[in-house]
Amino acid sequence: MSNKRIKIGAIFLTLVILLVMPLFLDLYLVHILNQIGIMVILTASLNLMVGYTGQLSFAHIGLFAVGAYTSAILTTTAGFSFWTAFPIAAIIAGIFGFIIGLPVLRFKTHFFAIVTMAFGEIIRLTIYNLRDLTGGPNGIYNIPFPTNFFGLDFALREHFYYLILVSAIIVILLVKFLINTRTGRAMIAIRENENFALFVGINTWRVKIFAFTISAAIAGFAGSLYAHYNSYISPYSFTISESVSVLLMVIIGGMGTIIGPILGTTFLTFLPELLRSVSEYRMVIYGGLLVLTIMFMRDGILGVIKSIKFKKDGDKRVKIEKPLPSGREETTIAGSERN
């Protein structure tokens, strides 16, 4: 069977498993899956900047908060429905990303990281102090669930799962499509060598501001889902430590890949749950595993999987080539390599 057919079969099987999964899991596990789905969208947005464009951003948790608060305010005080507030939240977050990107993208390397961190914190503190609009430290309660759609009652976790699943698939396909366009290839060129990209005629600043705006809009999209799924938000959900956690999900999974952030998000969300049986030492073990993962898995979880597959394929090639080295066949192989 060809690799393409195997790949299509694996994708189809994965989709079937994802569709039937809520039917066989308890509500707590469905809740964990929903949290993973929202984080997958957020890490996909951050991966556009960190993994594909090579810009270490800490502002995305702030843009995630912009999307969450925009959607929450529109539905609780302005009478908008979720389905109207949902795209508006993404647009507003995208506008914020564009405005922040104008000064921030003038900086490079660690200066860029520090300035984005400052902007993320400015957004959080602004939310904290605008008490009349955002509820200040108390946050916003009773954010409505989306109205029923296609017979799905989104007040139920197992039904909200399908909205998150469809949203995550759309975002992943969008990122994959974007990376295969001319702009996406320019983003990768900037990541590899920004000076050379500039030398060959790529308008690096324009490409970076585009990537920052699109990734901000996707982060806002995730924020809107987060607010309506949990029905409550506060500034304490958007701290720097949350920003670092999201960045770790991208790095540990494998930057600059579609699958990597999904693996990283799943790993880092499930790991604390798996360690609950050793609750006293849970965070110590969690921290130690993170350090070891970063030290010994430079290309992330996906890099380890690829290296195992590469080794396996290499062993297979050796086994196939072993019977050949006799006279005529060996000469043929050597000749083909030279050609």
Side-chain angles (χ1 to χ4, degrees):
M1 190 180 289
S2 67
N3 285 336
K4 190 176 178 182
R5 286 187 177 179
I6 293 173
K7 196 173 178 181
I8 291 171
I11 291 171
F12 179 75
L13 181 63
T14 305
L15 284 175
V16 171
I17 291 171
L18 288 173
L19 283 172
V20 301
M21 203 175 269
L23 304 176
F24 301 99
L25 299 177
D26 61 39
L27 282 181
Y28 180 69
L29 284 175
V30 173
H31 171 66
I32 298 293
L33 289 178
N34 287 341
Q35 298 287 0
I36 290 174
I38 294 170
M39 285 297 116
V40 163
I41 299 173
L42 182 58
T43 52
S45 79
L46 185 60
N47 192 35
L48 268 180
M49 282 307 293
V50 179
Y52 288 110
T53 317
Q55 310 297 311
L56 189 61
S57 170
F58 285 93
H60 278 61
I61 199 72
L63 299 165
F64 181 63
V66 169
Y69 270 91
T70 300
S71 198
I73 292 167
L74 287 176
T75 51
T76 54
T77 62
F80 283 66
S81 73
F82 165 80
W83 302 107
T84 310
F86 193 33
I88 293 176
I91 293 168
I92 296 294
I95 293 170
F96 263 77
F98 179 78
I99 294 170
I100 292 172
L102 289 175
V104 162
L105 290 169
R106 305 285 178 188
F107 297 91
K108 293 182 180 178
T109 62
H110 57 286
F111 293 107
F112 177 82
I114 292 169
V115 176
T116 53
M117 187 183 288
F119 268 101
E121 194 61 5
I122 287 169
I123 290 173
R124 192 183 72 82
L125 291 175
T126 304
I127 290 170
Y128 189 92
N129 288 296
L130 288 176
R131 293 169 184 264
D132 293 338
L133 182 65
T134 64
N138 295 324
I140 300 177
Y141 294 87
N142 297 325
I143 302 169
F145 297 110
T147 49
N148 295 359
F149 192 69
F150 279 126
L152 295 172
D153 180 2
F154 295 111
L156 304 173
R157 293 186 192 281
E158 61 270 32
H159 287 193
F160 209 113
Y161 168 88
Y162 291 105
L163 176 59
I164 294 172
L165 177 64
V166 171
S167 302
I169 291 173
I170 290 172
V171 167
I172 289 166
L173 291 177
L174 175 68
V175 171
K176 188 171 176 55
F177 170 78
L178 179 61
I179 293 308
N180 290 322
T181 63
R182 187 183 177 89
T183 305
R185 289 193 289 274
M187 288 160 59
I188 294 170
I190 292 170
R191 178 193 69 188
E192 296 300 320
N193 192 326
E194 186 171 346
N195 290 330
F196 186 74
L198 197 62
F199 176 74
V200 297
I202 295 173
N203 187 329
T204 56
W205 189 85
R206 186 180 294 177
V207 173
K208 285 194 292 184
I209 193 75
F210 173 79
F212 201 80
T213 304
I214 290 293
S215 67
I218 296 173
F221 188 78
S224 176
L225 275 178
Y226 177 83
H228 289 274
Y229 173 68
N230 291 299
S231 197
Y232 167 71
I233 51 174
S234 80
Y236 302 109
S237 302
F238 310 103
T239 59
I240 290 176
S241 64
E242 294 297 323
S243 186
V244 173
S245 296
V246 175
L247 184 62
L248 281 174
M249 289 174 182
V250 176
I251 294 173
I252 289 175
M255 293 187 294
T257 62
I258 297 294
I259 303 296
I262 300 173
L263 294 175
T265 304
T266 307
F267 176 68
L268 286 188
T269 307
F270 266 115
L271 186 59
E273 302 301 326
L274 294 174
L275 296 174
R276 278 193 184 280
S277 57
V278 286
S279 57
E280 292 179 8
Y281 306 102
R282 185 165 66 103
M283 294 316 293
V284 176
I285 296 171
Y286 178 72
L289 285 172
L290 283 182
V291 172
L292 291 173
T293 306
I294 292 171
M295 284 177 67
F296 298 107
M297 295 165 60
R298 297 293 175 88
D299 295 323
I301 297 170
L302 190 62
V304 173
I305 294 171
K306 282 183 177 176
S307 65
I308 293 171
K309 187 174 182 300
F310 180 76
K311 187 174 181 300
K312 200 174 175 183
D313 291 345
D315 291 343
K316 279 183 183 175
R317 279 198 293 274
V318 170
K319 284 178 185 174
I320 292 169
E321 287 169 5
K322 265 187 179 176
L324 295 177
S326 65
R328 190 173 172 184
E329 290 86 348
E330 189 176 17
T331 307
T332 307
I333 293 168
S336 65
E337 284 177 350
R338 281 197 297 272
N339 292 333

